[in-house]
Amino acid sequence: MIPAFELKTQYQSLADDIENAAAEVLRGGSYILGPRVRELETRIAERVGAAHAIGVGNGTDALHLALRALQIGPGDEVITTPFTFVATTEAIGIVGATPVFADIDLATFNLDPAAVEAAVTERTKAILPVHLYGQPVQMDALRAIAKRHGLAIVEDAAQAIGATFGGEQVGTLGDVACFSFFPTKNLGCAGDGGMVTTNDPSLFERVEMLRRHGGKVKYHHSELGLNSRLDELQAAILLVKEPHLDRWTEARRTLAARYNELLADVEGVVTPVEIDGVHAVYHQYTIRVEDRDAVQQRLKDAGVGTAVYYPVPLYRQEVHADLGYASGDFPQSEEAARTALSLPMFPELTHEQQDQVVEALAKALVA
Ligand SMILES: *Cc1c(COP(=O)(O)O)cnc(C)c1O
């Protein structure tokens, strides 16, 4: 069986270092907001090129805290994509604001800037682009729209750590950015974890305060906050893994280029497009095929794991029924949800395994 993703091989390659780092934390007796979280915040801020980074409980909380820091709440609209993980709109809803969807560009699976601009109203406060599958959104166009209408940009960079647009890292392309260290993300810990990055000192201060119960001074609370902190154990693990991230990203990019080559002559497969000026990090390698579910089942029968991110666009989810969208409102997202199939992608995937995936796919398409 070739799985869609696999975490154990990577763990084993660093097992001694990770276990030693974890044991040090356990013996040290400092478990929350200790020196390792601070060191990781510095490391991520430097990597991304942002002035500030704040470790938080997970990527969903990172989004929630970023929106709260921007004072976005009831009556405000936030424009985002319907073709993403639910955490994106969950965060918008949790702060009391309204998610407003704009359709994607099918070729990149990412927000279409023209659709974003068409969705701007008097109530719009922010744009929340998701760098889906590790490819940055067309950020120059989005920034121009944000500037014209006086909107904030919150990046959902949960799938895109290390990706660049025009030479700049995701995490610095808007006002504030959100990362996830969920185990399957490109830089994953052994539980939940997240990070917020920003160049804005006031947003930094607000996120920092809100992540620990809304108070600057212990036991003095100025507003309702959250308990959402990255812990020392996760930070210690991430400090061991982070120096390997660029190598892992290169492995993903090599695999993606190889998939592109191997699939070039396979009839019925649309391979992913990397837009100009972008360095994508291939959290997923996602193709489009007709009869997707049948193809996925045939691949499974042939011992190849794949995944569908995401089968139902968010505007058609029960949780968002109150937003009043109708089936078919976002045809590009609909088409993506109908045809997207993510092939096995993780840095440790071997070229031999990849050859087998392509062979099985070619067969599954003509079966
Ligand atoms: C994983 C993910 C999140 C949420 O991150 P968690 O750490 O799991 O809370 C948010 N947005 C996107 C696009 C994601 O892939």
Side-chain angles (χ1 to χ4, degrees):
M1 183 78 197
I2 302 172
F5 62 84
E6 194 264 291
L7 302 175
K8 279 194 206 163
T9 310
Q10 188 171 93
Y11 171 68
Q12 273 149 12
S13 74
L14 299 172
D16 285 349
D17 290 349
I18 289 175
E19 285 167 20
N20 287 336
E24 254 179 60
V25 173
L26 294 171
R27 290 177 195 135
S30 167
Y31 303 131
I32 294 281
L33 293 183
R36 288 170 191 82
V37 171
R38 277 193 295 278
E39 190 181 336
L40 185 71
E41 288 171 340
T42 305
R43 187 94 68 82
I44 296 294
E46 273 169 13
R47 157 177 286 280
V48 165
H52 308 284
I54 310 118
V56 299
N58 54 70
T60 310
D61 282 358
L63 290 162
H64 177 173
L65 287 161
L67 293 166
R68 284 284 310 278
L70 284 162
Q71 321 261 20
I72 289 170
D76 298 334
E77 294 178 353
V78 178
I79 299 173
T80 193
T81 166
F83 193 62
T84 177
F85 182 52
V86 71
T88 310
T89 50
E90 201 170 31
I92 298 169
I94 289 287
V95 303
T98 305
V100 171
F101 294 116
D103 210 352
I104 59 168
D105 169 359
L106 191 56
T108 62
F109 302 101
N110 272 335
L111 269 178
D112 173 358
V116 169
E117 186 144 40
V120 174
T121 74
E122 306 253 281
R123 293 168 164 227
T124 310
K125 285 283 154 50
I127 306 171
L128 206 171
V130 179
H131 306 306
L132 200 73
Y133 306 148
Q135 162 143 262
V137 178
Q138 190 75 49
M139 288 303 294
D140 48 356
L142 273 198
R143 277 160 145 178
I145 294 164
K147 202 167 174 208
R148 264 200 295 285
H149 300 277
L151 309 174
I153 294 181
V154 179
E155 291 176 81
D156 182 340
Q159 301 187 2
I161 191 164
T164 64
F165 182 91
E168 287 177 74
Q169 294 268 333
V170 305
T172 59
L173 301 170
D175 297 276
V176 54
C178 305
F179 293 93
S180 165
F181 303 125
F182 186 79
T184 59
K185 305 286 156 115
N186 288 24
L187 179 61
C189 59
D192 279 308
M195 189 77 72
V196 176
T197 58
T198 184
N199 282 324
D200 182 329
S202 68
L203 289 179
F204 164 65
E205 263 187 43
R206 282 189 54 72
V207 171
E208 212 288 307
M209 173 192 77
L210 290 165
R211 78 168 162 177
R212 45 193 179 92
H213 303 292
K216 282 193 183 123
V217 181
K218 211 170 189 182
Y219 305 124
H220 294 74
H221 308 280
S222 48
E223 60 185 295
L224 290 179
L226 271 73
N227 173 9
S228 184
R229 301 167 299 211
L230 188 65
D231 64 67
E232 283 287 288
L233 263 178
Q234 300 306 339
I237 292 168
L238 289 163
L239 282 168
V240 172
K241 294 182 75 173
E242 187 275 342
H244 301 277
L245 178 60
D246 292 336
R247 177 167 63 79
W248 291 331
T249 299
E250 272 321 298
R252 286 175 185 273
R253 286 183 57 82
T254 301
L255 288 166
R258 230 175 148 261
Y259 267 136
N260 286 343
E261 261 170 50
L262 294 168
L263 292 171
D265 300 324
V266 177
E267 192 94 22
V269 174
V270 182
T271 54
V273 172
E274 199 170 307
I275 58 174
D276 282 348
V278 143
H279 182 88
V281 296
Y282 293 94
H283 175 58
Q284 300 298 338
Y285 181 88
T286 303
I287 59 169
R288 291 195 298 110
V289 291
E290 289 300 320
D291 246 337
R292 190 261 326 277
D293 294 348
V295 171
Q296 182 177 35
Q297 184 59 47
R298 283 179 214 127
L299 282 168
K300 190 176 171 200
D301 295 343
V304 173
T306 57
V308 175
Y309 307 110
Y310 300 89
V312 182
L314 295 184
Y315 77 98
R316 284 203 288 110
Q317 296 279 352
E318 190 180 348
V319 62
H320 290 314
D322 61 324
L323 298 177
Y325 290 104
S327 189
D329 277 355
F330 302 98
Q332 304 295 306
S333 298
E334 213 53 62
E335 188 62 6
R338 189 179 70 81
T339 56
L341 185 67
S342 297
L343 301 182
M345 172 55 82
F346 47 95
E348 297 75 21
L349 184 73
T350 67
H351 291 186
E352 292 69 34
Q353 286 176 311
Q354 195 180 23
D355 292 341
Q356 290 168 38
V357 172
V358 171
E359 204 177 300
L361 177 62
K363 280 196 193 132
L365 286 163
V366 295

